[in-house]
Amino acid sequence: KILTRFNLLYAKELILINSRSFDIFKENKFKIDETHIVLLDLNLEHHEGVRLHGHQSSRSIEKHYSHLNKFLQKLSNLYNKKIIICIHPTADLDKTKKYFPNYEVVKYKTRENIYEAFIVLYFVTRAIVDALLLKKRIVSLYSKYNTDSGLPGTSLKESIEYGILRMNIEDEKKIDKDKLLLQLDNCIKNYSNYIKSNIAPDEDNLGYKKIIRIVKERFF
């Protein structure tokens, strides 16, 4: 609104469409299931994080993954589910595999694994949009080794905005299996407003089809 008011916007017109995640969901490109627990891993060496916070020490990175692996094992044992690690496109696959010696680590397969997730765990990623749209059980993870609080698009901001449960991977307290599932299922009720406002605001229309239709109507 500010850019439009002061004539600073490059676009002459803004047209509302549904997101790409919605289009994929509506056209059923992936099987929906609850076969495993998925972690959307945080790339601690991502250039944006390094620019904001500097490089993390090797010891901090080791501590982070030590706590994370213990947390994953706890959930895996609790629900008898396989763990799959989905990494950011900028992350080094071979290097990340060394951090997770007991789990399958994949790259460029995030969306399909979210579709088959029993629970989705994440730190900071826009890929969480698919999990919200599918109304999956979601846990926002944090620790003192990933300082994301107060930054746009972070798990703290998102957990407040979406109503997602937030858990510290350093917490070694026993997790109540049934209580946690109940909490996660209750959190799903909070997704609807965000989906309607940000993922699928244009009713049931496919975004890419609307773009094609408007381009044809105006220019051909």
Side-chain angles (χ1 to χ4, degrees):
K1 289 181 180 179
I2 294 173
L3 293 176
T4 303
R5 180 180 175 185
F6 292 100
N7 199 27
L8 297 172
L9 195 68
Y10 283 108
K12 291 182 179 180
E13 182 183 358
L14 299 178
I15 298 173
L16 185 71
I17 64 168
N18 287 328
S19 68
R20 181 174 58 178
S21 293
F22 175 81
D23 290 355
I24 293 169
F25 170 70
K26 290 297 291 183
E27 296 199 327
N28 297 315
K29 293 188 180 294
F30 300 108
K31 181 178 73 172
I32 301 174
D33 210 335
E34 293 189 346
T35 57
H36 45 249
I37 294 172
V38 174
L39 169 67
L40 310 183
D41 189 38
L42 172 69
N43 181 6
L44 292 175
E45 297 177 351
H46 192 279
H47 63 90
E48 289 183 6
V50 170
R51 188 169 67 246
L52 288 167
H53 305 296
H55 288 280
Q56 296 227 32
S57 68
S58 298
R59 180 171 174 76
S60 290
I61 292 174
E62 288 174 8
K63 285 281 189 181
H64 168 81
Y65 281 107
S66 175
H67 286 295
L68 183 53
N69 275 282
K70 289 177 183 177
F71 182 84
L72 293 174
Q73 190 62 57
K74 189 189 301 185
L75 284 187
S76 180
N77 292 341
L78 202 61
Y79 297 109
N80 193 28
K81 296 286 185 180
K82 177 182 177 181
I83 301 287
I84 295 181
I85 314 296
C86 295
I87 66 172
H88 192 275
T90 62
D92 185 315
L93 180 59
D94 292 330
K95 189 173 183 179
T96 308
K97 284 181 176 179
K98 294 177 181 177
Y99 293 136
F100 297 104
N102 300 318
Y103 306 120
E104 180 181 353
V105 182
V106 298
K107 193 173 185 178
Y108 308 122
K109 294 182 180 179
T110 299
R111 179 168 280 124
E112 48 262 61
N113 278 297
I114 289 175
Y115 268 66
E116 296 186 8
F118 173 67
I119 295 175
V120 179
L121 312 168
Y122 82 109
F123 288 94
V124 184
T125 176
R126 288 301 180 191
I128 201 62
V129 166
D130 287 297
L132 285 162
L133 180 59
L134 291 164
K135 296 190 174 179
K136 292 286 185 177
R137 300 179 185 96
I138 303 173
V139 178
S140 165
L141 302 179
Y142 72 99
S143 76
K144 64 185 177 187
Y145 303 104
N146 67 298
T147 53
D148 67 354
S149 58
L151 297 175
T154 65
S155 60
L156 176 58
K157 174 180 177 290
E158 291 165 350
S159 64
I160 295 169
E161 187 175 358
Y162 311 153
I164 291 172
L165 182 68
R166 192 165 157 86
M167 298 180 72
N168 188 343
I169 61 172
E170 299 171 84
D171 190 346
E172 297 184 0
K173 293 179 183 177
K174 184 178 179 181
I175 297 173
D176 185 304
K177 177 181 178 180
D178 296 326
K179 185 178 178 181
L180 177 58
L181 277 189
L182 181 61
Q183 285 180 292
L184 295 177
D185 288 339
N186 284 335
C187 287
I188 290 172
K189 300 171 186 175
N190 300 318
Y191 302 170
S192 296
N193 288 337
Y194 184 83
I195 293 170
K196 188 175 181 180
S197 300
N198 296 277
I199 303 176
D202 191 31
E203 298 180 349
D204 209 35
N205 299 307
L206 293 173
Y208 79 93
K209 286 189 176 181
K210 185 173 182 179
I211 293 170
I212 293 170
R213 175 176 58 78
I214 291 173
V215 169
K216 283 183 176 179
E217 287 175 352
R218 298 192 181 187
F219 302 105
F220 294 96

